[in-house]
Amino acid sequence: DVTILDTANPQTTRITFIDNQTGKIVSPIYPLSGKTGQTLTLKDGDTYKDPNGKPITVPAGWKLIPGEKIPETVTFTGAATPDIQVRVEHAMVTVSPDDPKTPADAMPDNPAKKFPAGVAASDLNKTITRTIILHLPDQTTKTIKQQVTFQRKAIVDEVSGAIDYQAWTVKKDDSADFASVAASDFADQLTEAQRAGLVGYTPTLPAPALKVQQSDQDSTFDISYTANPQKAGLILVDDDAQGAQLKALTANGKFGQA
C-alpha cells in the first residue's frame, strides 16, 4: 500500500499601508508567514501583533482613513494570499493660540518629527494697541491703553509639516471696538492740584470710537488742553473831573497769558 500525506504548503503575505492620495506604500511593511488553511489572529486586546509578538501599528504621522481598519485575522487559503492593503492618510494636528508650539516640540502622532516654525504664540496671537495720551497744562502726561487681541488656529500636517492657518477671530471676552476716550475719562488719574489747574482750559477732541481690524497697526492719539481766549478791559478816568472817562483800552489774549 502507498500512503499519501497531504502537507500544508508554507505561505506568506504582507500587511502594507497605502497612501490614499498617491497609492504608494508607506513603511513599515509587516510580513506574515503561515501554512495553507492556517488562520493568524492579529488582534490582541486593543492592539495588533504578528505571530512573533511584534506590534502592528499605523505608520507614525499617519492615520487610517474613515472606515478602514487593520484586519483582526488572516487566513491562508489554497491560493496565494495577496498583500493586505490598509489605506491611510496624513494625520493632522490642530495647534491652538493658547497652546502654541515651537520647533523644539514633537508631533503628537509622529514624535520623531518636530513642529515647523510658524505656530508659535506670535504666529497665532496678535494684539492691537491704541495709546491715548493726555497732555496736561502742567506739562505732565497721563495715558490710557486700549487693546484687542486676535487669535487663529493652525492645522499642521504631521507628515509634510505644511501649515493651514484658520481665520483670525477676536479673543474670547475681548471686543473688536475701541471706545471713544475723552479728557474727562482721565479724571481718576488726576490729583486735586491737576484738576484745579484745568480751570480756564479746554481739551481738544476725544479719541473717536473705532472698529479694529486684524490688519491694523498700533497707534497713538493725543489729547491736549488749550487756554481759553479772554478779553481784558481798562478804563481811564479823571478823578478831578468826578470820574469822567478819559479812555477805554481793551486787550485780547488767552488764559494765563501775560
Side-chain angles (χ1 to χ4, degrees):
D1 292 340
V2 177
T3 302
I4 300 176
L5 300 175
D6 288 331
T7 302
N9 295 325
Q11 292 199 32
T12 60
T13 188
R14 304 183 304 173
I15 292 180
T16 58
F17 291 95
I18 306 298
D19 183 340
N20 196 51
Q21 186 173 15
T22 65
K24 294 181 178 180
I25 294 176
V26 181
S27 62
I29 297 171
Y30 295 91
L32 300 174
S33 300
K35 294 182 178 182
T36 302
Q38 180 183 5
T39 296
L40 304 180
T41 299
L42 305 180
K43 188 171 175 59
D44 182 14
D46 294 329
T47 62
Y48 294 83
K49 297 179 180 179
D50 69 12
N52 297 317
K54 181 181 178 181
I56 300 173
T57 59
V58 175
W62 297 76
K63 66 178 182 178
L64 299 173
I65 68 170
E68 191 70 296
K69 62 181 181 178
I70 299 171
E72 296 183 6
T73 62
V74 174
T75 298
F76 294 102
T77 62
T81 304
D83 285 350
I84 300 164
Q85 296 186 342
V86 180
R87 296 203 166 265
V88 292
E89 61 188 2
H90 293 193
M92 301 289 182
V93 57
T94 299
V95 181
S96 70
D98 298 321
D99 188 21
K101 303 297 180 183
T102 71
D105 297 313
M107 298 274 198
D109 299 307
N110 193 2
K113 188 177 182 66
K114 304 296 184 181
F115 276 94
V119 290
S122 59
D123 300 304
L124 307 180
N125 297 271
K126 181 179 180 181
T127 298
I128 310 298
T129 302
R130 179 169 73 166
T131 304
I132 298 95
I133 303 174
L134 179 69
H135 300 267
L136 294 167
D138 64 2
Q139 305 305 308
T140 62
T141 60
K142 303 294 182 180
T143 61
I144 289 178
K145 287 185 180 291
Q146 297 174 304
Q147 292 185 323
V148 175
T149 296
F150 291 87
Q151 296 183 316
R152 63 179 175 178
K153 295 179 179 180
I155 299 175
V156 180
D157 187 316
E158 292 201 50
V159 176
S160 68
I163 303 173
D164 180 17
Y165 292 109
Q166 305 302 289
W168 288 100
T169 59
V170 178
K171 183 179 180 180
K172 184 180 179 182
D173 297 330
D174 271 15
S175 170
D177 300 312
F178 283 154
S180 176
V181 175
S184 57
D185 294 310
F186 292 83
D188 61 347
Q189 298 187 41
L190 305 184
T191 65
E192 287 293 337
Q194 288 174 326
R195 281 192 285 269
L198 299 181
V199 175
Y201 290 86
T202 299
T204 54
L205 293 175
L210 188 65
K211 188 77 172 179
V212 186
Q213 305 292 332
Q214 177 274 329
S215 57
D216 291 342
Q217 302 299 315
D218 292 346
S219 61
T220 300
F221 191 94
D222 293 285
I223 300 174
S224 59
Y225 282 90
T226 57
N228 296 333
Q230 294 194 345
K231 184 175 183 179
L234 176 65
I235 299 176
L236 303 179
V237 297
D238 186 349
D239 287 341
D240 296 332
Q242 299 180 345
Q245 180 175 320
L246 297 176
K247 190 173 185 180
L249 302 174
T250 60
N252 294 316
K254 292 185 178 181
F255 182 81
Q257 179 180 1

